[in-house]
Amino acid sequence: MGRHHDPDTRTTRAADAPGEAPTGRVVRARLALLCLLGSVLVPLIVAGLRSVLWVLVGLAGLALAAVGVWWTLAHTGVLRALGVLLSVAAPLTVLALYAAYGMLWPACLSLALWLAAVAAARTAAAPSHGVRKAEPATPPRRPWIVMNPRSGGGKVGRFHLVEKAREAGAEVVLLDAGQDVVDLARRAVAEGADLLAVAGGDGTQALVAEVAARHDVPFAVIPAGTRNHFALDLGLDREDPAAALEALTDGVEIRVDLGFAADRVFVNNASFGTYASVVADPAYRDAKVHTALQTLPGLLTGKDAATLRMRAGSARADGLQALLVSNNPYQRAVDAAHPGRRERLDSGRLGVLCVRVDNTVQAARLVRGPQSGSVLRLNAGEVVVEADADTVAVGIDGEYVTLPAPVVCRSAPGALRVVLPRHRPGVPSGGGPADWPRVTRLALGRFAPHRGHRTAAAA
């Protein structure tokens, strides 16, 4: 699986604000380099050149654990049992060896310093996005909210959302099984609703968001679902969904992107391959882990194994088992500051994550990350997903659908007007991936704004 980039698939970085004082950035850059240096010196001081051997031992443990996980997911019977044993025993053995030879505390300290270095580097080198200030929102005269009383284990009832929404002047519709939420939203707009909102999961949010975007009507998110990743990246408090109702009376408005997989909207992501096939199983809703363990062996190594191909500009990848296309790029899973979150929702780019693991050797190589050849990450404005079959299974914001192949995924920049409470607890701060060359320049006092890049607003 090769990696080929062109200007269309590179990450777009925003320019630093003109005249920005770099003092705080310089301090963070120097702190990042000091922590990075410390993460290297600690094991060297304790173990000398033998520390290289201990690093190799740690990497070997991770590789064996990865093999164990692969056997657990891709096989059944004895090999699965061995996989479970290996995935647990390998890291425990490494920890025991570290402890026995006095390397456990240096390893933990070195890891902590490395995480601190990455976090400081991200904020030091992050461009000043010229963050677009949210505009005060005009209070809606006829807000309309659809609520799913079954979402999130009954959050609508538990937080008294119906009563509180009606007190705020909203018309509330409770969603029953079998109702077409898109038709309900369209009818609400036709009858004069000047704001649409959803109290439910991300799948329902996406369907109503498309109607709001099509009619240029503001949209509000009430995080009453189980996960609500869209609400999380908007900075909303998922533990207190009623707080989102403040947007109806004292709100601010921003614009965010929407993603499209063919003609289907997604606010978070569209997942192709193994995950989509697992979600398709009716038993998945009630027994997620059991269903996944039952179906994954056939999907990864059996006759049902996915054969996906991806095109994004000049980038190509084939033989994929899993492909995730997200509405704006997610941070890396090992991101110390905001793992699995999106820093912004208005970059106009799709995040793309491709995975191909065909055998035990490739599973072991996963410890090398992007250099393993099994994982490909890029950003693009448009992605084409192809398959050998006429249709492709897709999990769109957790909802299973089938779409005709090939599937064209695209970003619709700034398509959705979102109204949010003025005060939100979870607005992410910090930058993108650590840019170590730039961090070094900053630490040495050679501050210079990047030139030649367009400035983009952050959500």
Side-chain angles (χ1 to χ4, degrees):
M1 181 169 59
R3 182 194 297 261
H4 304 283
H5 294 287
D6 64 2
D8 184 55
T9 57
R10 290 180 298 186
T11 304
T12 302
R13 298 185 66 87
D16 290 300
E20 178 191 7
T23 305
R25 290 175 180 266
V26 170
V27 171
R28 292 192 295 272
R30 290 173 180 171
L31 176 63
L33 291 183
L34 284 174
C35 289
L36 183 63
L37 180 62
S39 70
V40 175
L41 288 179
V42 166
L44 280 175
I45 292 172
V46 174
L49 293 178
R50 287 180 300 158
S51 61
V52 176
L53 175 62
W54 287 112
V55 170
L56 293 176
V57 169
L59 291 175
L62 289 175
L64 289 173
V67 169
V69 172
W70 169 252
W71 285 352
T72 302
L73 297 179
H75 299 280
T76 58
V78 175
L79 205 52
R80 170 171 283 180
L82 288 174
V84 173
L85 179 63
L86 186 60
S87 61
V88 174
L92 288 180
T93 300
V94 171
L95 291 176
L97 287 172
Y98 278 17
Y101 287 90
M103 288 301 298
L104 184 57
W105 73 263
C108 291
L109 179 57
S110 179
L111 178 61
L113 287 169
W114 178 78
L115 292 174
V118 171
R122 288 178 70 252
T123 56
S128 296
H129 295 299
V131 177
R132 179 196 307 152
K133 291 184 179 179
E135 300 292 334
T138 302
R141 298 184 305 276
R142 296 188 60 183
W144 178 88
I145 306 177
V146 61
M147 298 188 178
N148 187 345
R150 298 175 299 279
S151 286
K155 281 186 178 180
V156 168
R158 197 159 65 248
F159 288 91
H160 309 288
L161 297 181
V162 174
E163 296 84 351
K164 292 177 180 179
R166 286 173 176 162
E167 288 174 4
E171 176 187 350
V172 177
V173 175
L174 290 176
L175 190 61
D176 294 327
Q179 282 184 300
D180 187 337
V181 69
V182 173
D183 183 62
L184 291 173
R186 288 172 178 165
R187 193 182 312 164
V189 173
E191 293 174 356
D194 57 353
L195 179 140
L196 302 180
V198 174
D202 287 320
T204 309
Q205 301 279 1
L207 293 172
V208 178
E210 180 183 13
V211 177
R214 188 177 300 275
H215 295 276
D216 198 32
V217 173
F219 179 71
V221 176
I222 303 168
T226 303
R227 290 175 292 273
N228 284 119
H229 292 295
F230 188 47
L232 174 67
D233 291 332
L234 287 170
L236 297 173
D237 186 352
R238 296 184 298 175
E239 302 304 316
D240 184 14
L245 293 170
E246 295 177 11
L248 304 183
T249 54
D250 185 23
V252 293
E253 182 178 314
I254 63 173
R255 278 194 176 270
V256 303
D257 307 335
L258 288 177
F260 280 83
D263 61 346
R264 291 294 302 263
V265 166
F266 56 92
V267 294
N268 292 325
N269 55 65
S271 178
F272 300 81
T274 53
Y275 175 73
S277 300
V278 170
V279 171
D281 193 316
Y284 178 75
R285 293 296 178 190
D286 298 321
K288 292 180 172 59
V289 175
H290 178 73
T291 303
L293 289 175
Q294 273 195 324
T295 57
L296 277 175
L299 295 172
L300 293 174
T301 57
K303 59 182 178 61
D304 298 325
T307 53
L308 297 173
R309 298 180 298 277
M310 181 280 302
R311 292 187 284 114
S314 64
R316 300 286 190 275
D318 56 20
L320 302 176
Q321 293 148 317
L323 171 62
L324 183 77
V325 180
S326 58
N327 175 29
N328 287 267
Y330 284 103
Q331 302 292 341
R332 296 179 187 272
V334 295
D335 190 302
H338 302 290
R341 291 190 59 178
R342 290 165 289 183
E343 181 194 356
R344 56 190 302 171
L345 292 169
D346 66 345
S347 71
R349 311 289 283 173
L350 299 172
V352 185
L353 175 64
C354 307
V355 178
R356 185 182 70 189
V357 181
D358 296 323
N359 51 52
T360 301
V361 174
Q362 290 183 359
R365 288 176 180 169
L366 283 175
V367 297
R368 298 175 59 195
Q371 288 74 41
S372 67
S374 294
V375 178
L376 172 64
R377 291 175 60 102
L378 54 87
N379 302 344
E382 182 176 286
V383 181
V384 180
V385 182
E386 301 172 335
D388 293 336
D390 294 333
T391 60
V392 183
V394 191
I396 297 183
D397 287 337
E399 302 294 329
Y400 172 76
V401 300
T402 57
L403 298 174
V407 179
V408 178
C409 300
R410 61 182 176 85
S411 174
L416 183 65
R417 300 167 59 192
V418 178
V419 176
L420 301 165
R422 191 175 298 275
H423 304 290
R424 314 190 299 284
V427 178
S429 60
D435 184 347
W436 288 106
R438 187 166 186 237
V439 169
T440 303
R441 292 196 299 271
L442 284 170
L444 296 175
R446 299 172 184 172
F447 176 79
H450 284 289
R451 302 183 186 277
H453 298 291
R454 65 179 178 89
T455 302

